[in-house]
Amino acid sequence: MSVWADRRPLPEVVGRAVEHEQVSGLLDDSCLVTITGAAGVGKSVLARAVLDERLARQGGTVVRVGCWDGLAEGGLTGALAEAAGLPATTLPQALKEQGGTPVTGTRTVARGASHPYEPPRPRPRPTGSATVAALAAHCAEQRATLLLDDCDPLLDECAQLVRRLLRAEPTLRVVATSRRALGLPVERVVEIPPLPVTLGEGIAGPAVELLATRAESAAPELLVAVCEALEGSPLAIALAARQLDRMSLSQLAAQVAADGPLSYSGPAPTARHTSLYAAHAAGYALCSPTDRRVWARLSVLPGDFDPWLAGCVCASSDVPSPEIDASLERLRRASVLERVREGNGAPSDARTALPPRYRLPRGARDFGRAQLREAGEESAALRRFRQACAALAAEAQIAWQGPDQQIAVCLVEDEQHNLDAALTRPPQDADDALSALEIAVSLWFQWGACGYRREGRAHLDRLLLLSRGDTPLRARALWLAGWLAAQEHAPGAAEALLEQAWAAAVMHADADGLARIAHAHGVLALYREDTGAAVSCFEEASEHRSRDAWFGPGPAHSRALLAIALSAVDAEAARDAARRAWESRRSDGDFWLYSTVLYARALTERAHGRPDAALRACRKALAAKKLVGDPLFIAGARHLLDGLRHEVRAARKGAPAPADGGTTRWWQRGGAVRTAPFFSRLRTGS
């Protein structure tokens, strides 16, 4: 039978089989194993479960000292000696002469007293080498495994004591739990993450299992929803589950999914585990003033982020920019931040360099936001965040119009959560609303070229109502909203918006804006199969020499759409327009233009009896478009490709071409259209 020196009941552990085996294996070969992880992730529970199983196999005892259990600095050795039951006769004579007594860390309340009574603070046991040697020898004799629980407030003292104990008795086994490692050479670190919510499609994970033990008969989808909102944190799940006594699971799911702090609380063995706020407050108190400010300001970031974005939000007179990177790493080592992607260094080609990315979990984010609000800095941090997102969107726009369209797509994908928040969070004033509108306008390629038309229209419609001034930015937003409405087959809304955009362009003498309006009217005419009007509009737009090379489709893309409009009526003119479109390109990496030109060639060759050439062009168009996205275009190109394959087979057999709606264009594609983005690669780090 295993014996625990503190006689506390051993906890149950859920979903830690892999980590349990890992810690057990390391403990067989290593003298020091440290379990690290975020607040409330279950470090102490796992450590006690591992040691309980180890004692059942090997016997002995466990000596546990909780470093957060009222220990004063310098009292660790004395507390450990007392917990180990070290006889006083084995201590140095100096202890007896000084009248030292064990430090218990407990408080006594006098019977009948109206306020707590605290006895005089006892002197700590001396921490000389003789005491440490006697303690090490006693633990080895008793076959005791030492558990230094929650080392964070006494991290340096714990590291020093463990070093001295192992030097005196190398056969000792020590397990430590902490939010950061002790930093000793012999240390083996096991970092435990939050519990997985799912283990695959339709398979519930340990987080759901933990919640299900507290919710008797519950719908699995509600369990999953709650655990996802709580990000698999065992402490958060346990605290939320206690609310099921006063609300249904569906009400709990709605509450945890709402944007706001998780303020649940309940009884717990330690005060810092009675709520998420208390758990993070304990770690916050151990951080330096700089790290506290960085933690609080990072709370305005809803998703993962890189050091540049962190610097934009956190840097100020009291947090110099050069200190941001070091602060991020300190917070990561303290298990406040998660690193979701490792940086790949600084290669010679800066275009391929990827910085590390971090993430502030929801519990730490809620706590930091409360500190930010209390300090009166929330408004300024939110404004800096939106301005930084505007700079990110502008950078992506420039990359899109240059040779790096795939980099632009990946940049927007990496910053998706941050850009969404910057677009949707209510602006604080007119200037803040203009910053949000600037982001929406800079992301024109995301909405119009990569297939997010409906999302872009929703953002623009809302932000245009908040931005009433007659500014060049608003004029661009009006054109963009009209262009997207045209692509969405909403001619009434498109024409009304384009009319407003035309008036604004005339007022600002914006020749580029007038050309873009002509392009949008050409899209409307093309979609309603008015070839004459489409040709006229696209010719006007394509002959304009754009002064702003970074915004909008530009003359080259107008020529590509002109080729599509001419494909069925004038093969030579269509081929010439497609050739001129490609010759006027800004870079060879313009996959959006390349796919449109190839699609125009496929339509032209098919309309004039060359299905083989059309098939080759359509395949290339589809491959190019997949690199940057647009599900509607891709679905239409696949439909055209299927028809061309049937025509080629029929031609080789000498049979008439099948009547399969060969004149259907990509924008006429009916039925369900895949809405997932066709990005060139998955989210980095996912």
Side-chain angles (χ1 to χ4, degrees), residues 487-542:
Q487 295 185 66
E488 280 282 289
H489 306 276
E495 288 170 357
L497 288 163
L498 293 174
E499 184 178 351
Q500 296 179 60
W502 182 86
V506 169
M507 183 180 70
H508 292 287
D510 183 6
D512 287 355
L514 294 174
R516 286 190 289 265
I517 292 168
H519 178 98
H521 279 298
V523 171
L524 280 171
L526 188 65
Y527 283 16
R528 66 174 180 261
E529 299 186 5
D530 186 347
T531 302
V535 170
S536 176
C537 290
F538 287 133
E539 283 180 343
E540 178 185 347
S542 63

Side-chain angles (χ1 to χ4, degrees), residues 413 416 446 450 452 626 628-631 674-680:
E413 192 178 24
Q416 176 184 350
Q446 173 81 348
C450 297
Y452 288 87
K626 283 182 177 180
V628 293
D630 193 348
R674 181 177 177 181
T675 57
F678 288 81
F679 288 123
S680 56

Side-chain angles (χ1 to χ4, degrees), residues 16 32 71 87 92 122 199 245 279 302 308 352 398 456 510 517 541 626 661:
R16 296 297 187 192
L32 171 62
L71 279 183
L199 301 177
D245 294 336
W308 178 86
T352 62
I398 293 171
D510 183 6
I517 292 168
K626 283 182 177 180

Side-chain angles (χ1 to χ4, degrees), residues 308-349:
W308 178 86
L309 184 57
C312 291
V313 172
C314 299
S316 64
S317 59
D318 53 0
V319 180
S321 295
E323 294 186 19
I324 300 294
D325 286 7
S327 180
L328 293 177
E329 278 303 299
R330 288 194 297 270
L331 289 172
R332 183 194 65 81
R333 290 195 296 270
S335 301
V336 175
L337 288 177
E338 298 174 357
R339 188 155 60 194
V340 298
R341 182 180 77 190
E342 299 286 343
N344 64 354
S348 56
D349 185 0

Side-chain angles (χ1 to χ4, degrees), residues 73 90 121 186-187 215 255 310 427 441 524 586 606 634 670 685:
E73 187 175 352
T90 63
R121 180 180 296 275
V186 297
E187 182 180 29
Q255 194 171 93
V441 170
L524 280 171
R586 295 193 182 96
R606 184 185 200 186
I634 291 171

